[in-house]
Each structure stands twice: as C-alpha cells, then as structure tokens.
C-alpha cells in the first residue's frame, strides 16, 4: 500500500488485505464502479468526461439552432417592416 516502506509499492492482485507503512490496512474488494460497470477509476473518469463533453456539445448545438430560428423570425419581421415603410 501507499505510503510504502519500500522504494516501489508492492502489489498483490490476489490479496484480501492491503496494508501500508503506517500500519493502516484496508480490505481489497471491488468498488461499486468496478462491480457494476466493470471499469476502473481511470476508465470511469474518461467515460464521465466524454459524456460531459458530449452533453456540452449537444447544449451548444441546441442553443445555436434555437438562436438561428429566433433570428430567422426577426429577419422576416425586419424585411416586412421595410416593405411596409416603402
């Protein structure tokens, strides 16, 4: 475990308990993410960031389309007003 008494921390995939140099011991069990999704933390973080970026792109696209639609209505109104003034 970390902090370790050795230069490189020992890793044991089949161990049931992990202890560090401070004599703090923790059971080695799957986290909820690993148990349900089969992902480790770095994979889950990449998935979460990707979903966030995709959501931001979708919101930006929606706002762009909404703005374009709103401005199209204003352009028609402006041209109608110009024709009426002539």
């Amino acid at each position: 475990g970390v902090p370790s008494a050795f230069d490189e921390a020992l890793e044991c995939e089949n161990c049931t308990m992990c202890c560090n140099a401070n004599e703090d011991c923790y059971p080695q069990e799957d986290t909820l993410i690993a148990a349900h999704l089969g992902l480790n933390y770095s994979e889950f973080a990449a998935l979460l960031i990707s979903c966030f970026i995709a959501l931001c792109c979708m919101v930006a696209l929606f706002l762009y389309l909404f703005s374009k639609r709103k401005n199209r209505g204003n352009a028609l109104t402006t041209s109608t007003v110009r024709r009426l003034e002539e």
Side-chain angles (χ1 to χ4, degrees):
V2 176
S4 177
F6 306 103
D7 292 334
E8 292 184 25
L10 299 174
E11 293 184 20
C12 177
E13 305 241 346
N14 298 324
C15 298
T16 57
M17 191 68 71
C18 181
C19 300
N20 62 19
N22 297 337
E23 296 182 6
D24 294 327
C25 296
Y26 304 95
Q28 293 286 81
E29 49 191 35
D30 284 344
T31 61
L32 292 175
I33 295 170
H36 292 294
L37 299 177
L39 302 173
N40 61 29
Y41 279 117
S42 61
E43 292 169 342
F44 180 71
L47 176 67
L48 192 62
I49 290 170
S50 299
C51 289
F52 178 74
I53 290 171
L55 179 66
C56 288
C57 290
M58 288 172 44
V59 168
L61 178 65
F62 173 76
L63 291 174
Y64 170 75
L65 293 175
F66 181 76
S67 172
K68 189 172 183 176
R69 181 177 178 205
K70 184 178 178 185
N71 288 339
R72 183 181 62 183
N74 288 342
L76 291 175
T77 304
T78 304
S79 65
T80 305
V81 170
R82 286 183 188 160
R83 275 189 271 151
L84 291 175
E85 288 177 351
E86 293 176 353

